[in-house]
Amino acid sequence: MGKQFPASKLERDESLRVVDNRTGKEYTVPITHNSIPANFFKGIRAAAGPNDRPEDETERGLRVADRGFLNTAVIESRITYIDGDNGVLRYRGYPIEQLAERSSFLEVSYLLIYGALPGASQLSHFTSEVLLHGPIHFDAEGFFRAFRYDAHPMSMLTSAFAYLGSYYGEANPSLQGQDLFTKAAKGDPAALQNMDRQIFRLIGKATTLAAMAYRIRQGRDFVVPPTGMSYTESFLYQLDHLSPTDHLSELHSTKPHPVLAKALDILFILHADHEMNASSTTVLQTGSSLPDPFSAVAAGCASLYGPLHGGANEAVIRMLISIGSPKNVPAFLEAVKKRQKVLSGFGHRVYKTSDPRSFIIRKVADEVFAVTGRDPLLDTAMALHDAALKDDYFVSRKLAPNVDFWSGLIYRAMGFPMDFFPVLFVVPRVVGWVAHWRQMMLSPSGVKIWRPRQLYLGPSARDYVPLEERTGTFQVGVGMEPSVIEHSGLAGKVRSKL
Ligand code: CMC
């Protein structure tokens, strides 16, 4: 039996009364799940006022402006819940702390995608499907070899996902019909199967592609995913097989070091999902026009790559190296306060207290350092962390450490090159992306293309002026003309003499 509410609670009027002072009209806006529908405001119309431009389209209804999606709910989701004020993160209702301590990455993946913790046979089926789909077509080796020796691994990984999508014509709505996946919502078993096969492939191949991006830069041959290992063990094995500085318990041993494999598994659990973060939103935005899921995941990779999102762990290490010794921390923080520097790994759009993942990661870091040795940058990190948490600038803005503050130190201790850190974020986040994508494809009301609006502040209608009639200063301001570029090489020298 459901929860009983007192009558007074049931009778509460779940609506918002809005008066448009331009017209004096009153509107009642329904409130559902403590939200109001933005589209309702389209019905609030007025005649254009003296300050309105035609482009404001005042007669066509109010628009809701939300630069950077600060307070816009773009989807109904049942996957992840964050209470940013209280530092709470739950996957499908389970606290992240319990999952990190007691679960495994593939079990958590099942939970995120299918909504419940699996039974033994369900977990075994899912695990074997994911691991079975690890190997990729031999041709893909040529794709990786086409990159330059110094290509960033995220450039390789982003394009590798898009590339690999081309292998699966049978799972591409552009080729097979736009309802290829969405008809799963109406109970079409083949559509559901097709969708899940793509999900197994994406998760299974994420480690393989990431390992290929890693090894190509070292001029080492690729490693076929091994059998008989967990997802994270298999990943470490593929990365380091036959490496002189490997993550294996003994040189050329068959299995990665158990402490490091467990640490990576926990890090993967922590990074698997984070509700409507920039990259998951990008995957959904891209997915909303119904391309194949490999293309949507490639778009997610591109979004995650940025230093404000998945590139932050790399930025933290660069920042710590630039600070050097703990004695330089006060000067660095002063520069941050003057906005000359950024304190990477601090602050979050949602968390206004410490990111709960940062506590778990801090503990994992000690376990990893016990195996790898202590990173001297840890002292600088701790001094920075403690000083920032005592400083009013950061306290008053509710800036606290996020997951990336410590994760880079762990990856560094494990020997990963800095530019590989975002890749270590992408691999587990593929699970969150596909969980959100699947949920959207299965939406009973169908998929609506994500097409936001803008406030157009540019010029009003004007007539074309022929080139010979354009005179005077054209535009004043930053970025109003193409930049003058210095060219290298013979062509550049010749051009500069023209
Ligand atoms: N260092 C110094 N000041 C900061 C920082 C920071 N790291 N983050 C925010 N602020 C200040 C900001 O200048 C602003 O101050 P004021 O109100 O005086 O103008 C105030 O705090 C509010 O910040 P905001 O930029 O409005 O916050 P946001 O929600 O738009 O940005 C953020 C969130 C994560 C992009 C930002 O905090 C940031 O750039 N942090 C550093 C990068 C980082 O660590 N990113 C990883 C995020 S966690 C991993 C993930 O989920 O991807």
Side-chain angles (χ1 to χ4, degrees):
M1 187 146 155
K3 202 173 168 184
Q4 298 291 304
F5 292 102
S8 59
K9 275 199 177 168
L10 285 176
E11 280 159 17
R12 193 171 78 158
D13 181 355
E14 296 295 331
S15 67
L16 181 76
R17 202 177 311 150
V18 175
V19 176
D20 185 346
N21 291 327
R22 300 171 302 177
T23 58
K25 281 192 193 157
E26 188 176 302
Y27 299 84
T28 302
V29 190
I31 297 178
T32 319
H33 297 298
N34 190 33
S35 76
I36 48 167
N39 216 21
F40 181 95
F41 291 85
K42 220 172 162 183
I44 302 185
R45 298 172 185 180
N51 300 324
D52 288 348
R53 309 168 71 225
E55 291 79 13
D56 291 337
E57 300 179 359
T58 314
E59 299 89 346
R60 291 189 224 161
L62 267 184
R63 287 145 336 165
V64 179
D66 186 6
R67 182 171 168 260
F69 291 140
L70 287 168
N71 191 25
T72 293
V74 289
I75 203 159
E76 288 177 359
S77 180
R78 292 177 169 74
I79 300 175
T80 292
Y81 173 69
I82 300 175
D83 172 352
D85 287 343
N86 294 305
V88 169
L89 169 60
R90 295 185 207 128
Y91 293 164
R92 301 277 188 183
Y94 296 101
I96 192 67
E97 293 80 2
Q98 288 183 23
L99 294 171
E101 194 182 326
R102 301 171 63 181
S103 189
S104 66
F105 175 66
L106 282 189
E107 187 179 65
V108 166
S109 305
Y110 186 105
L111 171 71
L112 284 166
I113 299 166
Y114 301 105
L117 285 169
S121 69
Q122 291 165 315
L123 181 60
S124 145
H125 165 67
F126 178 70
T127 304
S128 65
E129 283 292 352
V130 167
L131 297 180
L132 182 83
H133 284 93
I136 62 172
H137 198 286
F138 173 74
D139 289 352
E141 296 192 359
F143 173 80
F144 277 94
R145 292 190 205 289
F147 283 93
R148 293 196 59 177
Y149 69 95
D150 60 349
H152 195 291
M154 279 300 288
S155 303
M156 291 194 243
L157 189 61
T158 303
S159 39
F161 275 115
Y163 161 81
L164 216 55
S166 71
Y167 283 61
Y168 312 114
E170 85 288 355
N172 186 340
S174 301
L175 301 172
Q176 306 297 341
Q178 67 176 52
D179 62 349
L180 181 68
F181 297 121
T182 50
K183 62 191 175 192
K186 298 190 186 101
D188 184 323
L192 198 57
Q193 217 173 37
N194 213 344
M195 185 151 65
D196 282 344
R197 192 187 298 110
Q198 290 312 84
I199 287 176
F200 301 148
R201 281 175 173 152
L202 275 159
I203 303 173
K205 291 175 199 318
T207 42
T208 317
L209 295 177
M212 290 174 88
Y214 181 80
R215 293 183 73 97
I216 190 75
R217 290 221 319 202
Q218 294 160 359
R220 291 198 278 151
D221 225 337
F222 303 120
V223 176
V224 175
T227 50
M229 291 193 196
S230 76
Y231 187 75
T232 29
E233 283 171 342
S234 160
F235 183 39
L236 285 175
Y237 180 89
Q238 289 178 69
L239 290 169
D240 266 358
H241 182 54
L242 296 184
S243 161
T245 55
D246 57 20
H247 303 126
L248 310 181
S249 33
E250 288 167 47
L251 199 61
H252 306 172
S253 148
T254 48
K255 274 208 164 190
H257 195 292
V259 171
L260 302 187
K262 178 68 187 160
L264 196 63
D265 207 73
I266 294 174
L267 283 164
F268 275 15
I269 291 174
L270 302 184
H271 283 93
D273 192 43
H274 214 223
E275 52 117 303
M276 286 303 107
N277 55 90
S279 58
S280 302
T281 314
T282 305
V283 168
L284 290 179
Q285 164 97 46
T286 308
S288 80
S289 67
L290 304 175
D292 73 278
F294 278 81
S295 298
V297 163
C301 275
S303 164
L304 188 142
Y305 187 10
L308 296 188
H309 186 9
N313 48 18
E314 181 181 343
V316 168
I317 299 299
R318 292 191 196 283
M319 169 188 78
L320 293 174
I321 291 171
S322 78
I323 297 172
S325 144
K327 72 175 171 17
N328 301 327
V329 162
F332 176 79
L333 286 181
E334 284 313 307
V336 172
K337 290 195 261 180
K338 286 186 197 138
R339 296 173 194 261
Q340 293 160 347
K341 306 253 180 197
V342 173
L343 176 52
S344 294
F346 258 68
H348 201 276
R349 172 60 61 81
V350 183
Y351 294 119
K352 297 304 163 202
T353 178
S354 286
D355 179 337
R357 300 169 299 175
S358 68
F359 298 114
I360 304 168
I361 277 204
R362 184 67 194 86
K363 214 169 131 240
V364 173
D366 285 336
E367 285 156 18
V368 169
F369 294 151
V371 175
T372 61
R374 200 165 183 278
D375 188 331
L377 281 183
L378 185 63
D379 292 332
T380 311
M382 279 167 49
L384 187 59
H385 171 270
D386 295 349
L389 286 185
K390 278 189 216 125
D391 191 306
D392 190 52
Y393 177 93
F394 302 96
V395 175
S396 64
R397 287 171 177 77
K398 299 189 175 172
L399 299 171
N402 58 50
V403 68
D404 290 314
F405 192 74
W406 303 111
S407 63
L409 284 167
I410 301 182
Y411 297 146
R412 195 172 121 100
M414 288 174 79
F416 291 111
M418 267 190 282
D419 58 6
F420 199 69
F421 295 178
V423 173
L424 295 166
F425 191 163
V426 165
V427 171
R429 187 52 62 86
V430 165
V431 165
W433 294 339
V434 296
H436 289 286
W437 174 76
R438 189 180 193 271
Q439 176 178 254
M440 184 163 84
M441 293 300 127
L442 288 175
S443 165
S445 53
V447 176
K448 221 163 173 49
I449 190 163
W450 287 23
R451 201 313 186 175
R453 306 211 57 196
Q454 63 167 4
L455 303 182
Y456 177 74
L457 305 181
S460 292
R462 51 182 171 170
D463 288 325
Y464 179 81
V465 181
L467 182 58
E468 56 282 7
E469 291 173 25
R470 292 173 218 158
T471 52
T473 308
F474 293 103
Q475 301 192 91
V476 182
V478 179
M480 306 304 258
E481 283 182 32
S483 308
V484 177
I485 306 289
E486 260 184 49
H487 293 269
S488 58
L490 194 59
K493 290 201 175 80
V494 171
R495 201 170 301 163
S496 65
K497 291 212 170 78
L498 289 179

